[in-house]
Amino acid sequence: VDVLSDKKRLYRLRRDMIRSLFRYGSYYNEYFLFGYEGKDAAYRDGFITEGVRMSYYPRMNDPKNTNLLENKYLTYQKFRDFYGRDVLRIKKGAQPTPAALEALRDVDLPAPEEIYRKYPHECSGGQLQRVMIAAAIVTDPHLLLLDEPTAILEQIIEQGEALSRIHPQSVNTLRIPTVVLADGEVRLFHPTLRVGRGDGIIDNFSAGGISALIDPETGCICSDGADKKGRRYAAHPDTGVRFNGYRLPEWDKAVAIVTTAAHMVPGNHYCGWDLAYSTHGWCMVEANCTAQMGGMQIITQTGRKAELEALIAQM
């Protein structure tokens, strides 16, 4: 309110926001989330902003791999051994053939009989829905989503207690970016935990969730939480679980999954892997070869551009 009432300050702020957009590619929300106000050029230029982020991926990844890692069903087919659950694709207008109906009957559903519905190229969890699957779905073609865009049905992930303790309503996930160097070594590039809040089932940072940094060596959370409005949380506002120092379960197994997966796509040197902790251990949720880099920088307002450039020089 004090800024809005000071017309001279507001004028300077607006000019500085526009200047930063053109010079650093920082979107207007990033101007505040990265703490640009009052900072010098060196500080501002240290961040990987949304305006420049997409320029990095062609330097790190072969474009022919993009569809494999951005299409959720193709990703499942490639890495199904890490999923630990059934995933089906139902194409728009596809006829319910006996084979398709049999495949749907064979989906191993937990009780209650619910399933996730996604779309192949959605992002930020914006179209994720939790839908009931009745017995009639295998006989009524209208319930096979024939009138909707191509959809993906996934078995619900039953979350393990270690992550459910932080926020039980959402399936909380890790975002673990991997960098594959020229000698084959895999580095973890500022992994984060994402958790939901309130009654939301989505943990995504862009959907109102909270993120915190993870120490890649120990698997312990090493920061407070933060959301995309710039608010900081020492503890989860719903459960009271403190973020900094919280030890994630079986971290070595999570690292093993993403390290193996990173080597399975030749020509791809950078990818963000999303993992969930089920009652059976870590499982893959999806992959993102153009994964956003805002969260890892917003949490502690630390730019990561120099680190990424140094890693690119070793690819």
Side-chain angles (χ1 to χ4, degrees):
V1 175
D2 61 325
V3 175
L4 296 176
S5 62
D6 184 339
K7 291 185 178 180
K8 288 186 178 180
R9 184 182 176 191
L10 183 60
Y11 175 76
R12 290 194 300 269
L13 181 62
R14 290 167 66 180
R15 282 180 59 87
D16 196 35
M17 291 168 64
I18 295 169
R19 185 183 302 113
S20 295
L21 171 64
F22 283 95
R23 184 169 182 178
Y24 308 108
S26 58
Y27 288 9
Y28 294 145
N29 64 332
E30 291 180 315
Y31 180 92
F32 298 102
L33 291 171
F34 293 159
Y36 273 14
E37 189 174 7
K39 297 299 197 305
D40 60 18
Y43 175 89
R44 298 180 183 197
D45 194 42
F47 287 83
I48 306 166
T49 64
E50 278 297 295
V52 302
R53 176 173 66 88
M54 295 303 294
S55 67
Y56 279 93
Y57 303 114
R59 300 171 58 192
M60 301 186 289
N61 298 332
D62 189 330
K64 71 181 182 182
N65 294 320
T66 300
N67 193 43
L68 167 65
L69 295 168
E70 296 294 321
N71 182 304
K72 299 181 189 305
Y73 189 68
L74 295 181
T75 303
Y76 165 70
Q77 289 183 307
K78 177 72 174 180
F79 302 102
R80 69 172 66 212
D81 289 345
F82 302 129
Y83 271 65
R85 64 193 183 282
D86 292 318
V87 177
L88 290 177
R89 178 179 61 181
I90 299 178
K91 294 183 178 180
K92 180 178 181 179
Q95 295 304 307
T97 63
L101 293 174
E102 188 62 32
L104 195 54
R105 288 191 188 95
D106 290 342
V107 174
D108 183 18
L109 295 175
E113 292 183 327
E114 289 184 315
I115 201 163
Y116 283 130
R117 179 175 64 185
K118 298 180 179 180
Y119 297 102
H121 292 94
E122 72 173 13
C123 62
S124 303
Q127 293 179 291
L128 176 66
Q129 291 183 329
R130 202 165 177 165
V131 296
M132 296 297 295
I133 299 295
I137 197 170
V138 298
T139 58
D140 187 343
H142 296 290
L143 293 178
L144 287 175
L145 314 175
L146 297 183
D147 296 327
E148 298 193 16
T150 295
I152 297 168
L153 300 181
E154 291 190 16
Q155 180 185 359
I156 292 288
I157 297 172
E158 296 183 80
Q159 183 165 242
E161 192 273 338
L163 265 71
S164 183
R165 189 186 311 153
I166 304 176
H167 184 254
Q169 289 88 343
S170 58
V171 176
N172 308 307
T173 61
L174 309 184
R175 164 61 60 82
I176 307 182
T178 55
V179 175
V180 182
L181 304 182
D183 61 1
E185 179 187 357
V186 175
R187 301 267 187 94
L188 306 188
F189 190 64
H190 302 291
T192 56
L193 170 71
R194 292 106 48 98
V195 298
R197 58 176 306 180
D199 294 327
I201 67 169
I202 300 173
D203 68 329
N204 198 287
F205 201 55
S206 299
I210 300 171
S211 291
L213 288 169
I214 302 168
D215 182 339
E217 298 296 327
T218 66
C220 284
I221 298 176
C222 58
S223 75
D224 288 341
D227 65 19
K228 207 170 183 179
K229 291 188 176 181
R231 296 173 296 201
R232 300 293 190 272
Y233 305 88
H236 195 286
D238 298 322
T239 62
V241 174
R242 295 189 66 83
F243 288 108
N244 203 336
Y246 192 92
R247 183 176 294 277
L248 298 171
E250 302 183 275
W251 176 246
D252 57 331
K253 295 182 180 179
V255 173
I257 289 174
V258 299
T259 300
T260 301
H263 280 132
M264 290 173 64
V265 188
N268 213 76
H269 293 272
Y270 185 94
C271 189
W273 307 95
D274 293 352
L275 303 185
Y277 190 69
S278 77
T279 52
H280 303 291
W282 291 108
C283 62
M284 188 177 292
V285 177
E286 62 185 43
N288 301 269
C289 67
T290 56
Q292 291 183 327
M293 302 181 189
M296 67 174 72
Q297 302 177 102
I298 290 170
I299 294 168
T300 58
Q301 291 189 333
T302 304
R304 308 294 184 188
K305 182 187 287 187
E307 295 175 63
L308 186 59
E309 289 283 2
L311 291 170
I312 290 174
Q314 301 176 62
M315 290 179 181

